[in-house]
Amino acid sequence: MNELKRFRTCEFPLVLALALTGCGGGGSAGSAAALTPHEQLAQLEATGVLPALDRGDSVAGIDANANGVRDDIERYIEKKYTVSAERAAAMQMARAHQQMLLVDKSNEIALDRVSGGSFRAIVCLGSTFAGPDASNSSLVRTEIRALTTNTKERLLAYLAYNKARSGSVSRLPEGETCE
């Protein structure tokens, strides 16, 4: 049931937009059919239906200000989250996900450090996005993970991190976890 709710709230608009674009909806007859999938994606990004994300081969992507968050994801967060505490919590989660991709998967100490940062970000999201719908923080986390793992290389790095952490035991941190 939770997965169905998550699909409806997070992914359905994206699926609908892609389906309509693929079927020629929203434009003149036949215009979308002439576009390649790459062109359709670029059009959805240009109109703001989808966030404009870096799809290069680099796992790290571009982080010009060296704050630990890819610039494309930072722009998205700044645009979407106008409340400063929510923006800061989303940035902390994005930084944690980026570290998961880049950490040395054979270094247990580094893996523990990244895992701790991830759990602090999760708790921070939970306290920041708390409200009548307790799934808000989970939706933000899912969204940030999807934005971060938007290429095959990035998804493989994320899966390698999870494989390296498989079987480990962690505790959620207590106290103030927001940066």
Side-chain angles (χ1 to χ4, degrees):
M1 183 66 171
N2 256 352
E3 291 302 317
L4 180 58
K5 181 178 179 185
R6 189 172 296 134
F7 174 76
R8 275 191 242 129
T9 58
C10 285
E11 298 164 5
F12 183 72
L14 174 62
V15 171
L16 180 61
L18 290 173
L20 286 175
T21 302
C23 296
S28 60
S31 65
L35 297 176
T36 66
H38 182 72
E39 292 168 333
Q40 290 176 14
L41 184 60
Q43 187 178 53
L44 289 170
E45 289 176 340
T47 59
V49 173
L50 293 177
L53 296 176
D54 169 47
R55 290 181 174 76
D57 292 334
S58 166
V59 171
I62 299 170
D63 180 13
N65 61 4
N67 66 351
V69 178
R70 278 190 358 232
D71 294 344
D72 54 338
I73 295 174
E74 184 173 2
R75 281 190 301 275
Y76 176 79
I77 289 170
E78 287 176 352
K79 182 178 177 183
K80 181 168 184 177
Y81 300 104
T82 57
V83 176
S84 62
E86 291 178 354
R87 181 182 296 140
M91 286 290 289
Q92 184 176 347
M93 190 77 253
R95 201 169 6 269
H97 276 291
Q98 186 71 1
Q99 290 172 352
M100 290 176 199
L101 303 185
L102 302 176
V103 68
D104 177 357
K105 310 318 187 258
S106 65
N107 183 333
E108 285 298 321
I109 294 170
L111 286 166
D112 286 344
R113 181 184 47 76
V114 169
S115 180
S118 173
F119 284 119
R120 283 189 302 280
I122 290 168
V123 173
C124 178
L125 278 179
S127 63
T128 303
F129 286 90
D133 183 1
S135 68
N136 286 343
S137 65
S138 179
L139 294 174
V140 174
R141 188 176 54 192
T142 300
E143 174 184 49
I144 299 295
R145 181 177 54 238
L147 295 171
T148 304
T149 59
N150 70 318
T151 67
K152 180 180 179 180
E153 293 81 6
R154 292 174 183 145
L155 179 59
L156 290 174
Y158 177 75
L159 293 173
Y161 167 80
N162 280 297
K163 182 178 180 182
R165 293 302 297 165
S166 179
S168 64
V169 178
S170 301
R171 279 180 31 155
L172 287 177
E174 296 177 6
E176 181 56 46
T177 59
C178 295
E179 297 174 350

